[in-house]
Amino acid sequence: MSGSNHLSRRDFIKFTTGAVGGIITVGIGLPAVGFLVDPALKESKAGKPIAIGKLEEIPVGKPYPFSFTITRVNGWERTAANYGGFVLRKSADPKDILILSSRCTHLGCTVNWNESANAYLCPCHDAKFSVQGEVLDGPPPIPLRHFNFTIEDGVVVIVPVEIGQEG
Amino acid sequence: MWQKVYTWLDERLGLGDMYTALLDRPEPRGNWWNTLGSASLFLFLLQTATGIFLTVYYTPSPDHAYDSIQYIMTGVAFGWLIRGIHHWGASLMIIVVFIHMLRVFFTASYKYPRELTWLVGIGLLLMTIGMGFTGYLLPWHQMAFWATTVGTQIAGSVPFIGDFILKALRGGPDLSALTLQRFFAAHIWMLPAVLLALIGAHLYLIIKHGESHFPGKDD
Ligand code: HEM
Ligand code: FES
């Protein structure tokens, strides 16, 4: 119907079908995307402080391993995830403590203290960290992260949030 | 520019011919009852889309099925919408497919040359009901559990091979994790695959023969 304002029955049907189809697609498509990515938009809460050991039982000058679990609600389930680290008492002073996370800053494997190498070694890509957590060798871009802590009645209590540079 | 791209594609793919054959084919005078087949097709596509999304969270295990659906309803953004559409769409689809069949029956459209369209249609109805039956168990709540207990028991009342059918459906003598898992497999893989193939055959035949005329006074 060129040149006239008249809309043919055929064009009207085409237009309405397209419009209704479009509305349905968007009306379901957008919620569907929200539905899919929903878990990525949920904030995970910081865990409660965790007691990891008596100060008197932790030797001075040698990394002391500890581990803890954090249970989070994922979907309809509680998932217990294991974390760990090392307490390093640099001197007899109860405040002079460094608490490192054992999560490798490369791609997240767990590092182990190796006595003879005098370093934390990562089994995944051979990273090597000094006793203080600095990178000695391998691919990690930044030092091992640490935890904040308090001493309560002679017990070391950590805040289970890793502190450090962004990887 | 777009004209050129279109011409290039059209020469190789025959888009224009396809459009004419699929959407611009001659039709008898319109009648609303003739839209029910397309409505069934639309509902099938809607169920497919929402069903695929539901599998992102749904877990077919006796330990998790109920909780995962509860989570979809209360914990996931728009979960109530996606599941709601799938839940109500299932009933609607069975009703629409059934009324479509009644219309084909009352307009005597199943006669020559459309007998095969009718036979394929029976397959479609059975598969659609099968989808409803297998889907109903998936929430694994009391209603689902007992409905399936009863449904499989009925299938088990067939003479001679009844016991075999019952065990094959349940994956054993009782409703168990095996039942839930095989109903899930049937619901998301096997029945949809068959349904899709039958829909393809059905649509091919419809395009080949064209719609039948609505019977007039003289017929
Ligand atoms: C999943 C289910 C089904 C889908 C998606 C479907 C789809 C369609 C579509 C799109 C048409 C053309 C438009 C129309 O006449 O309404 C059609 C026609 C037809 N259907 Fe179905 N259908 C389904 C189930 C059935 C069932 C259960 C039967 C009968 C047992 C059946 C028998 C026929 C016949 C004979 C025609 C040709 C009608 C004519 O040419 O006038 N269909 N179907
Ligand atoms: S994850 Fe530790 S070196 Fe790659």
PDB file of all heavy atoms in Angstrom, chain B residues 52-76:
ATOM      1  N   ILE B  52      14.598 -25.950  30.187  1.00  0.00           N
ATOM      2  CA  ILE B  52      16.061 -25.888  30.153  1.00  0.00           C
ATOM      3  C   ILE B  52      16.573 -25.028  31.303  1.00  0.00           C
ATOM      4  O   ILE B  52      17.515 -25.387  32.001  1.00  0.00           O
ATOM      5  CB  ILE B  52      16.549 -25.354  28.796  1.00  0.00           C
ATOM      6  CG1 ILE B  52      16.336 -26.421  27.718  1.00  0.00           C
ATOM      7  CG2 ILE B  52      18.018 -24.963  28.867  1.00  0.00           C
ATOM      8  CD1 ILE B  52      16.621 -25.942  26.305  1.00  0.00           C
ATOM      9  N   PHE B  53      15.900 -23.894  31.518  1.00  0.00           N
ATOM     10  CA  PHE B  53      16.345 -23.036  32.612  1.00  0.00           C
ATOM     11  C   PHE B  53      16.164 -23.710  33.973  1.00  0.00           C
ATOM     12  O   PHE B  53      17.012 -23.571  34.853  1.00  0.00           O
ATOM     13  CB  PHE B  53      15.636 -21.681  32.565  1.00  0.00           C
ATOM     14  CG  PHE B  53      16.250 -20.760  31.559  1.00  0.00           C
ATOM     15  CD1 PHE B  53      15.618 -20.476  30.364  1.00  0.00           C
ATOM     16  CD2 PHE B  53      17.492 -20.199  31.796  1.00  0.00           C
ATOM     17  CE1 PHE B  53      16.208 -19.651  29.422  1.00  0.00           C
ATOM     18  CE2 PHE B  53      18.095 -19.382  30.868  1.00  0.00           C
ATOM     19  CZ  PHE B  53      17.446 -19.095  29.671  1.00  0.00           C
ATOM     20  N   LEU B  54      15.069 -24.458  34.136  1.00  0.00           N
ATOM     21  CA  LEU B  54      14.851 -25.114  35.433  1.00  0.00           C
ATOM     22  C   LEU B  54      15.970 -26.098  35.761  1.00  0.00           C
ATOM     23  O   LEU B  54      16.365 -26.250  36.915  1.00  0.00           O
ATOM     24  CB  LEU B  54      13.500 -25.833  35.438  1.00  0.00           C
ATOM     25  CG  LEU B  54      12.278 -24.929  35.565  1.00  0.00           C
ATOM     26  CD1 LEU B  54      11.007 -25.748  35.497  1.00  0.00           C
ATOM     27  CD2 LEU B  54      12.328 -24.136  36.861  1.00  0.00           C
ATOM     28  N   THR B  55      16.517 -26.774  34.725  1.00  0.00           N
ATOM     29  CA  THR B  55      17.568 -27.758  35.009  1.00  0.00           C
ATOM     30  C   THR B  55      18.835 -27.116  35.561  1.00  0.00           C
ATOM     31  O   THR B  55      19.701 -27.815  36.071  1.00  0.00           O
ATOM     32  CB  THR B  55      17.977 -28.565  33.755  1.00  0.00           C
ATOM     33  OG1 THR B  55      18.560 -27.682  32.807  1.00  0.00           O
ATOM     34  CG2 THR B  55      16.803 -29.287  33.136  1.00  0.00           C
ATOM     35  N   VAL B  56      18.935 -25.795  35.452  1.00  0.00           N
ATOM     36  CA  VAL B  56      20.116 -25.132  36.014  1.00  0.00           C
ATOM     37  C   VAL B  56      20.159 -25.302  37.538  1.00  0.00           C
ATOM     38  O   VAL B  56      21.229 -25.407  38.134  1.00  0.00           O
ATOM     39  CB  VAL B  56      20.122 -23.637  35.640  1.00  0.00           C
ATOM     40  CG1 VAL B  56      21.253 -22.907  36.346  1.00  0.00           C
ATOM     41  CG2 VAL B  56      20.241 -23.466  34.133  1.00  0.00           C
ATOM     42  N   TYR B  57      18.972 -25.359  38.185  1.00  0.00           N
ATOM     43  CA  TYR B  57      18.948 -25.507  39.646  1.00  0.00           C
ATOM     44  C   TYR B  57      18.371 -26.838  40.108  1.00  0.00           C
ATOM     45  O   TYR B  57      18.756 -27.344  41.155  1.00  0.00           O
ATOM     46  CB  TYR B  57      18.137 -24.369  40.281  1.00  0.00           C
ATOM     47  CG  TYR B  57      18.769 -23.012  40.070  1.00  0.00           C
ATOM     48  CD1 TYR B  57      18.331 -22.168  39.059  1.00  0.00           C
ATOM     49  CD2 TYR B  57      19.828 -22.593  40.872  1.00  0.00           C
ATOM     50  CE1 TYR B  57      18.928 -20.935  38.857  1.00  0.00           C
ATOM     51  CE2 TYR B  57      20.429 -21.368  40.669  1.00  0.00           C
ATOM     52  CZ  TYR B  57      19.973 -20.535  39.656  1.00  0.00           C
ATOM     53  OH  TYR B  57      20.567 -19.326  39.457  1.00  0.00           O
ATOM     54  N   TYR B  58      17.440 -27.375  39.348  1.00  0.00           N
ATOM     55  CA  TYR B  58      16.768 -28.583  39.791  1.00  0.00           C
ATOM     56  C   TYR B  58      17.748 -29.756  39.886  1.00  0.00           C
ATOM     57  O   TYR B  58      18.611 -29.925  39.018  1.00  0.00           O
ATOM     58  CB  TYR B  58      15.622 -28.959  38.838  1.00  0.00           C
ATOM     59  CG  TYR B  58      15.024 -30.282  39.204  1.00  0.00           C
ATOM     60  CD1 TYR B  58      14.182 -30.373  40.302  1.00  0.00           C
ATOM     61  CD2 TYR B  58      15.340 -31.438  38.506  1.00  0.00           C
ATOM     62  CE1 TYR B  58      13.661 -31.598  40.692  1.00  0.00           C
ATOM     63  CE2 TYR B  58      14.832 -32.660  38.884  1.00  0.00           C
ATOM     64  CZ  TYR B  58      13.995 -32.732  39.973  1.00  0.00           C
ATOM     65  OH  TYR B  58      13.498 -33.948  40.365  1.00  0.00           O
ATOM     66  N   THR B  59      17.614 -30.562  40.924  1.00  0.00           N
ATOM     67  CA  THR B  59      18.510 -31.696  41.130  1.00  0.00           C
ATOM     68  C   THR B  59      17.690 -32.965  41.297  1.00  0.00           C
ATOM     69  O   THR B  59      16.931 -33.083  42.253  1.00  0.00           O
ATOM     70  CB  THR B  59      19.355 -31.466  42.401  1.00  0.00           C
ATOM     71  OG1 THR B  59      19.939 -30.178  42.310  1.00  0.00           O
ATOM     72  CG2 THR B  59      20.445 -32.498  42.528  1.00  0.00           C
ATOM     73  N   PRO B  60      17.825 -33.926  40.381  1.00  0.00           N
ATOM     74  CA  PRO B  60      16.970 -35.114  40.433  1.00  0.00           C
ATOM     75  C   PRO B  60      17.485 -36.165  41.399  1.00  0.00           C
ATOM     76  O   PRO B  60      17.879 -37.235  40.986  1.00  0.00           O
ATOM     77  CB  PRO B  60      17.014 -35.627  38.995  1.00  0.00           C
ATOM     78  CG  PRO B  60      18.361 -35.221  38.518  1.00  0.00           C
ATOM     79  CD  PRO B  60      18.694 -33.938  39.211  1.00  0.00           C
ATOM     80  N   SER B  61      17.480 -35.861  42.681  1.00  0.00           N
ATOM     81  CA  SER B  61      17.877 -36.869  43.662  1.00  0.00           C
ATOM     82  C   SER B  61      16.901 -36.764  44.822  1.00  0.00           C
ATOM     83  O   SER B  61      16.462 -35.668  45.161  1.00  0.00           O
ATOM     84  CB  SER B  61      19.312 -36.614  44.122  1.00  0.00           C
ATOM     85  OG  SER B  61      19.367 -36.431  45.508  1.00  0.00           O
ATOM     86  N   PRO B  62      16.531 -37.905  45.430  1.00  0.00           N
ATOM     87  CA  PRO B  62      15.559 -37.850  46.525  1.00  0.00           C
ATOM     88  C   PRO B  62      15.988 -36.885  47.627  1.00  0.00           C
ATOM     89  O   PRO B  62      15.156 -36.255  48.258  1.00  0.00           O
ATOM     90  CB  PRO B  62      15.542 -39.290  47.040  1.00  0.00           C
ATOM     91  CG  PRO B  62      15.929 -40.105  45.870  1.00  0.00           C
ATOM     92  CD  PRO B  62      16.933 -39.278  45.119  1.00  0.00           C
ATOM     93  N   ASP B  63      17.301 -36.739  47.843  1.00  0.00           N
ATOM     94  CA  ASP B  63      17.780 -35.838  48.886  1.00  0.00           C
ATOM     95  C   ASP B  63      17.609 -34.371  48.533  1.00  0.00           C
ATOM     96  O   ASP B  63      17.533 -33.524  49.410  1.00  0.00           O
ATOM     97  CB  ASP B  63      19.287 -36.062  49.139  1.00  0.00           C
ATOM     98  CG  ASP B  63      19.528 -37.368  49.859  1.00  0.00           C
ATOM     99  OD1 ASP B  63      18.535 -37.955  50.330  1.00  0.00           O
ATOM    100  OD2 ASP B  63      20.685 -37.788  49.938  1.00  0.00           O
ATOM    101  N   HIS B  64      17.638 -34.069  47.250  1.00  0.00           N
ATOM    102  CA  HIS B  64      17.718 -32.666  46.877  1.00  0.00           C
ATOM    103  C   HIS B  64      16.568 -32.141  46.035  1.00  0.00           C
ATOM    104  O   HIS B  64      16.422 -30.928  45.914  1.00  0.00           O
ATOM    105  CB  HIS B  64      19.016 -32.408  46.102  1.00  0.00           C
ATOM    106  CG  HIS B  64      20.246 -32.683  46.902  1.00  0.00           C
ATOM    107  ND1 HIS B  64      20.564 -31.957  48.022  1.00  0.00           N
ATOM    108  CD2 HIS B  64      21.213 -33.605  46.767  1.00  0.00           C
ATOM    109  CE1 HIS B  64      21.694 -32.429  48.540  1.00  0.00           C
ATOM    110  NE2 HIS B  64      22.110 -33.432  47.798  1.00  0.00           N
ATOM    111  N   ALA B  65      15.798 -33.020  45.417  1.00  0.00           N
ATOM    112  CA  ALA B  65      14.787 -32.563  44.462  1.00  0.00           C
ATOM    113  C   ALA B  65      13.855 -31.532  45.092  1.00  0.00           C
ATOM    114  O   ALA B  65      13.697 -30.418  44.572  1.00  0.00           O
ATOM    115  CB  ALA B  65      13.986 -33.755  43.943  1.00  0.00           C
ATOM    116  N   TYR B  66      13.276 -31.887  46.233  1.00  0.00           N
ATOM    117  CA  TYR B  66      12.308 -31.006  46.870  1.00  0.00           C
ATOM    118  C   TYR B  66      12.959 -29.684  47.274  1.00  0.00           C
ATOM    119  O   TYR B  66      12.442 -28.600  46.977  1.00  0.00           O
ATOM    120  CB  TYR B  66      11.693 -31.694  48.094  1.00  0.00           C
ATOM    121  CG  TYR B  66      10.651 -30.863  48.760  1.00  0.00           C
ATOM    122  CD1 TYR B  66       9.367 -30.781  48.232  1.00  0.00           C
ATOM    123  CD2 TYR B  66      10.943 -30.134  49.916  1.00  0.00           C
ATOM    124  CE1 TYR B  66       8.404 -29.992  48.833  1.00  0.00           C
ATOM    125  CE2 TYR B  66       9.987 -29.342  50.527  1.00  0.00           C
ATOM    126  CZ  TYR B  66       8.720 -29.272  49.973  1.00  0.00           C
ATOM    127  OH  TYR B  66       7.770 -28.491  50.562  1.00  0.00           O
ATOM    128  N   ASP B  67      14.112 -29.773  47.925  1.00  0.00           N
ATOM    129  CA  ASP B  67      14.793 -28.557  48.371  1.00  0.00           C
ATOM    130  C   ASP B  67      15.207 -27.676  47.202  1.00  0.00           C
ATOM    131  O   ASP B  67      15.157 -26.451  47.287  1.00  0.00           O
ATOM    132  CB  ASP B  67      16.048 -28.911  49.187  1.00  0.00           C
ATOM    133  CG  ASP B  67      15.689 -29.482  50.554  1.00  0.00           C
ATOM    134  OD1 ASP B  67      14.528 -29.291  50.973  1.00  0.00           O
ATOM    135  OD2 ASP B  67      16.542 -30.112  51.174  1.00  0.00           O
ATOM    136  N   SER B  68      15.647 -28.320  46.108  1.00  0.00           N
ATOM    137  CA  SER B  68      16.104 -27.508  44.979  1.00  0.00           C
ATOM    138  C   SER B  68      14.928 -26.750  44.366  1.00  0.00           C
ATOM    139  O   SER B  68      15.073 -25.600  43.951  1.00  0.00           O
ATOM    140  CB  SER B  68      16.841 -28.356  43.937  1.00  0.00           C
ATOM    141  OG  SER B  68      15.975 -29.283  43.320  1.00  0.00           O
ATOM    142  N   ILE B  69      13.761 -27.359  44.355  1.00  0.00           N
ATOM    143  CA  ILE B  69      12.595 -26.653  43.816  1.00  0.00           C
ATOM    144  C   ILE B  69      12.149 -25.557  44.778  1.00  0.00           C
ATOM    145  O   ILE B  69      11.806 -24.447  44.361  1.00  0.00           O
ATOM    146  CB  ILE B  69      11.450 -27.647  43.519  1.00  0.00           C
ATOM    147  CG1 ILE B  69      11.851 -28.496  42.319  1.00  0.00           C
ATOM    148  CG2 ILE B  69      10.150 -26.906  43.259  1.00  0.00           C
ATOM    149  CD1 ILE B  69      10.778 -29.371  41.778  1.00  0.00           C
ATOM    150  N   GLN B  70      12.221 -25.866  46.074  1.00  0.00           N
ATOM    151  CA  GLN B  70      11.910 -24.840  47.069  1.00  0.00           C
ATOM    152  C   GLN B  70      12.836 -23.634  46.883  1.00  0.00           C
ATOM    153  O   GLN B  70      12.414 -22.488  46.978  1.00  0.00           O
ATOM    154  CB  GLN B  70      12.135 -25.463  48.460  1.00  0.00           C
ATOM    155  CG  GLN B  70      11.114 -25.091  49.500  1.00  0.00           C
ATOM    156  CD  GLN B  70       9.695 -25.287  49.014  1.00  0.00           C
ATOM    157  OE1 GLN B  70       9.396 -26.233  48.305  1.00  0.00           O
ATOM    158  NE2 GLN B  70       8.826 -24.366  49.384  1.00  0.00           N
ATOM    159  N   TYR B  71      14.093 -23.938  46.606  1.00  0.00           N
ATOM    160  CA  TYR B  71      15.065 -22.863  46.395  1.00  0.00           C
ATOM    161  C   TYR B  71      14.739 -22.067  45.133  1.00  0.00           C
ATOM    162  O   TYR B  71      14.822 -20.831  45.131  1.00  0.00           O
ATOM    163  CB  TYR B  71      16.478 -23.454  46.308  1.00  0.00           C
ATOM    164  CG  TYR B  71      17.542 -22.409  46.121  1.00  0.00           C
ATOM    165  CD1 TYR B  71      17.817 -21.492  47.132  1.00  0.00           C
ATOM    166  CD2 TYR B  71      18.261 -22.316  44.933  1.00  0.00           C
ATOM    167  CE1 TYR B  71      18.781 -20.522  46.966  1.00  0.00           C
ATOM    168  CE2 TYR B  71      19.230 -21.351  44.762  1.00  0.00           C
ATOM    169  CZ  TYR B  71      19.492 -20.453  45.779  1.00  0.00           C
ATOM    170  OH  TYR B  71      20.446 -19.481  45.610  1.00  0.00           O
ATOM    171  N   ILE B  72      14.348 -22.755  44.066  1.00  0.00           N
ATOM    172  CA  ILE B  72      13.963 -22.059  42.837  1.00  0.00           C
ATOM    173  C   ILE B  72      12.820 -21.087  43.133  1.00  0.00           C
ATOM    174  O   ILE B  72      12.818 -19.941  42.681  1.00  0.00           O
ATOM    175  CB  ILE B  72      13.533 -23.071  41.744  1.00  0.00           C
ATOM    176  CG1 ILE B  72      14.746 -23.862  41.253  1.00  0.00           C
ATOM    177  CG2 ILE B  72      12.853 -22.353  40.574  1.00  0.00           C
ATOM    178  CD1 ILE B  72      14.409 -25.009  40.324  1.00  0.00           C
ATOM    179  N   MET B  73      11.859 -21.535  43.944  1.00  0.00           N
ATOM    180  CA  MET B  73      10.680 -20.712  44.211  1.00  0.00           C
ATOM    181  C   MET B  73      10.981 -19.526  45.109  1.00  0.00           C
ATOM    182  O   MET B  73      10.366 -18.467  44.975  1.00  0.00           O
ATOM    183  CB  MET B  73       9.574 -21.562  44.859  1.00  0.00           C
ATOM    184  CG  MET B  73       8.993 -22.614  43.943  1.00  0.00           C
ATOM    185  SD  MET B  73       8.338 -21.930  42.416  1.00  0.00           S
ATOM    186  CE  MET B  73       6.752 -21.319  42.958  1.00  0.00           C
ATOM    187  N   THR B  74      11.890 -19.679  46.071  1.00  0.00           N
ATOM    188  CA  THR B  74      12.074 -18.600  47.043  1.00  0.00           C
ATOM    189  C   THR B  74      13.449 -17.951  46.994  1.00  0.00           C
ATOM    190  O   THR B  74      13.606 -16.817  47.432  1.00  0.00           O
ATOM    191  CB  THR B  74      11.853 -19.131  48.482  1.00  0.00           C
ATOM    192  OG1 THR B  74      12.750 -20.210  48.702  1.00  0.00           O
ATOM    193  CG2 THR B  74      10.435 -19.623  48.677  1.00  0.00           C
ATOM    194  N   GLY B  75      14.452 -18.643  46.455  1.00  0.00           N
ATOM    195  CA  GLY B  75      15.809 -18.114  46.555  1.00  0.00           C
ATOM    196  C   GLY B  75      16.383 -17.536  45.276  1.00  0.00           C
ATOM    197  O   GLY B  75      17.352 -16.793  45.311  1.00  0.00           O
ATOM    198  N   VAL B  76      15.819 -17.895  44.124  1.00  0.00           N
ATOM    199  CA  VAL B  76      16.411 -17.471  42.858  1.00  0.00           C
ATOM    200  C   VAL B  76      15.551 -16.369  42.227  1.00  0.00           C
ATOM    201  O   VAL B  76      14.325 -16.476  42.213  1.00  0.00           O
ATOM    202  CB  VAL B  76      16.504 -18.647  41.862  1.00  0.00           C
ATOM    203  CG1 VAL B  76      17.254 -18.245  40.613  1.00  0.00           C
ATOM    204  CG2 VAL B  76      17.154 -19.840  42.511  1.00  0.00           C
TER     205      VAL B  76
END
